[in-house]
Amino acid sequence: MIIRLQCLLIILTSVIVLMISGYPTFFQQRGRSNRPVIRWRPPMDTWNWTSEPRNEKPFFTPSNFTHKLPPTANETELLVHMTTLKRNYSRLLWDSDKSTNLPLFVDKALKLLNLKQVYYEVEHSVMSRVSCTACKAGAGLLQHYIKLGKSKEEINKMIFQFCVSLNIQSARVCEGITRLFGSEVVYVLKRITIGPDEICSFVIGDACGDVYNPYHEWEVSFPPVPKPPTQSLDAPVEKAPTFKVLQISDTHFDPYYAEGANAECNEPLCCRVSSGPALTPGGGAGRWGDYRKCDTPKRTIDHMLKHIADTHPDIDYILWTGDLPPHDVWNQTKEENLKVLQETVAQMSDMFPGVPIFPALGNHESSPVNSFPPPYISTSESNIAWLYNELDAQWRRWLPAGVSHTVRRGAFYSVLVRPGFRIISLNMNYCNNKNWWLLMNSTDPATELQWLIYELQSAEFSGEKVHIIGHIPPGHSDCIKVWSRNYYAIINRYESTITAQFFGHTHFDEFEVFYDPNDLGRATSIAYVGPSVSPYYDLNLGYRIYYVDGDHDATTRLVVDHETWIMNLKDANLFGYPIWYKLYSARSAYQMQALRPQDWDKFIDDMTYKEDIFNLYFKHYWKNSPRRGSCDGECRKRLVCDARSGRSHDRRALCGNIEARIDSSAPAPQTWRAWLYNGISVSLSMLMQLPQVAYQIPKFIMGLG
């Protein structure tokens, strides 16, 4: 999956060691006069979105394909029979290998090493007080050195030295991370007046407390138009016309992927020429990709796109939800990222001539990764115009010219696809809590959400239905709390207008359900999170096909059904040739009457009570990867809660009694082994608190708490 906060981890871990090793100097200098922090305030945003042209001309003409929908739930017995035949016919199509992951108690024991636990939490965006404490200590020390007047060169040099000496990463990764991110972090920290508590509450989220900060407490304004009365959604009309829609996400094309290169390197991305030769038998990169920390070779993307073009010649339009460059975040340049953008856009255009493509911006398209300054950052070395101007030039082959003003401003746009049907693409990097620029002021960056309200209100007046696309799911922990809360309110206000949402980013096959804030038992909207093309990491490769209610008098523009197609990477490398096959279709696999929000809400209930249904979802979530491992009770609670959390960092309110229900349905331990294992787990959990207590002592002394 995405490298989450690895760059921040390197910087913060290094400064923690600086803090520990530099106590005498730190305490001696606390009484000295320090240079004042720069008192910086962002200018007022004067953009008037209502004065800009709005796309009112239908952009897409259907090809009048007759789409054959996947089998319905009534054909389940036939589907099971076909599945059995396929399983007996060819092991190329099915893989039931078990995980080779370490036992859970070994993994917990390893986490007793505090740095390893922080690294794990950061990489998987599952934070605890351990990461919170580390963040506060690191942020506090960085701010201390800034107040002492240390130059960014001095701070960067210290960060690099300790990154190398602790073997946090290789020397070249330490150098690259420091060079790319150090200056930006120092620039931002010089211009904020908030302390470590506020910084880490913003970056880490609810695991680090709910600290009030006026720069990160804001609400969008809604027009004085009453919300239309809500009506129960009927299932789409059977056998009505549909649009067939392809979603491709998180390709992470690696132009330097090398078959046979070391796939077990000690860097965030392996399987490259620079990774060197394999050091162990079986340690070399596979021909078609690799389950380890490796991205997608060109031949695999070429093969997938040709397969899609041959297998689905009746695609009406494509949703392309971002993350094009590879995960070599320590080694990226603006020029390299633009080259990847240009090459992949040309590839999509050549492979799908005449097919409309609606793109959204990922967090990896910028250099450094996650760096998306708002429009008020206008200095030549820091602004984002280098990327947004190129996006406008490249996307213009698919989008009407009238959207250029919003693409160049903030990489978002609105297009009328058909009469009564609109697609809005959002730049979700303005909710990204790894985007350091937002620490200065996160108030509706680029005025994107206020513009979204204007577009949705206009759509409501015009009787249009809207699909929203983006990259980072709004309920994911990578999306800052205040942005996600405002977005959730927008979805609720315009629930009769917004009929579907589509995101990527997580690399898994999943979804998020939205609820009425005043009635958390009533589902209002559904966000589909499409699978990644990249196998990074431990995943099979995949893409998603949707069937959307098409042009007819009673159209709902709801998603009628969707299916996920995958390539089994293990078998592709073993037999030398990839085979893409349909893993499942939602209605049939999950026995759903339709894919309305209330149907997905019922499915969440089914996963809560029925272990076999959850296990099926878990298999699809991992795209049937042979490396997926097992999912214990805590894992199950987390995934079910993820599906119910369209609003980030608010799991306590949204998940309600899910954990209790899952716990009550779990069987009690039946054997002495289970009893002994549970006892060891509890003991280890208690021991794991010791590093946190140890960290509280220097934090308390330094006044960081």
Side-chain angles (χ1 to χ4, degrees), residues 91-95 291 540-541 566-573 577-581 624 626:
R91 68 181 299 274
L92 281 172
L93 299 181
W94 302 90
D95 196 323
Y291 286 121
N540 284 322
L541 296 78
I566 68 166
M567 181 191 87
N568 186 302
L569 185 54
K570 177 182 176 181
D571 288 339
N573 286 331
Y577 190 78
I579 293 181
W580 298 86
Y581 68 97
N624 199 25

Side-chain angles (χ1 to χ4, degrees), residues 244-286:
K244 187 174 182 179
V245 181
L246 166 68
Q247 182 187 12
I248 295 178
S249 195
D250 298 88
T251 47
H252 291 291
F253 159 54
D254 188 356
Y256 302 106
Y257 186 98
E259 180 182 359
N262 185 11
E264 299 172 336
C265 70
N266 63 340
E267 295 181 341
L269 184 65
C270 304
C271 297
R272 323 185 92 205
V273 174
S274 58
S275 304
L279 303 178
T280 62

Side-chain angles (χ1 to χ4, degrees), residues 169-189:
Q169 283 291 345
S170 67
R172 64 177 186 154
V173 173
C174 289
E175 188 278 330
I177 293 297
T178 304
R179 171 177 47 83
L180 282 172
F181 294 88
S183 297
E184 179 178 300
V185 170
V186 171
Y187 179 95
V188 171
L189 291 182

Side-chain angles (χ1 to χ4, degrees), residues 128-146:
S128 75
R129 293 292 303 175
V130 178
S131 296
C132 176
T133 303
C135 173
K136 289 180 181 180
L141 191 67
L142 279 174
Q143 289 187 309
H144 170 69
Y145 278 120
I146 290 171

Side-chain angles (χ1 to χ4, degrees), residues 4-6 8-20 107-124 126-135 137-138 162-169 688 690-692 694-695:
R4 296 194 169 88
L5 267 181
Q6 285 183 342
L8 176 62
L9 173 66
I10 291 172
I11 294 173
L12 294 184
T13 306
S14 300
V15 296
I16 290 169
V17 178
L18 276 169
M19 173 192 72
I20 297 169
D107 190 51
K108 286 193 173 184
L110 288 174
K111 289 179 190 176
L112 287 171
L113 298 172
N114 205 54
L115 288 182
K116 180 172 179 65
Q117 183 174 352
V118 173
Y119 192 92
Y120 175 88
E121 291 178 359
V122 161
E123 188 172 37
H124 293 82
V126 180
M127 300 299 187
S128 75
R129 293 292 303 175
V130 178
S131 296
C132 176
T133 303
C135 173
F162 279 93
C163 177
V164 172
S165 63
L166 282 176
N167 293 318
I168 296 173
Q169 283 291 345
M688 286 170 65
L690 294 178
Q692 301 182 39
Y695 262 122

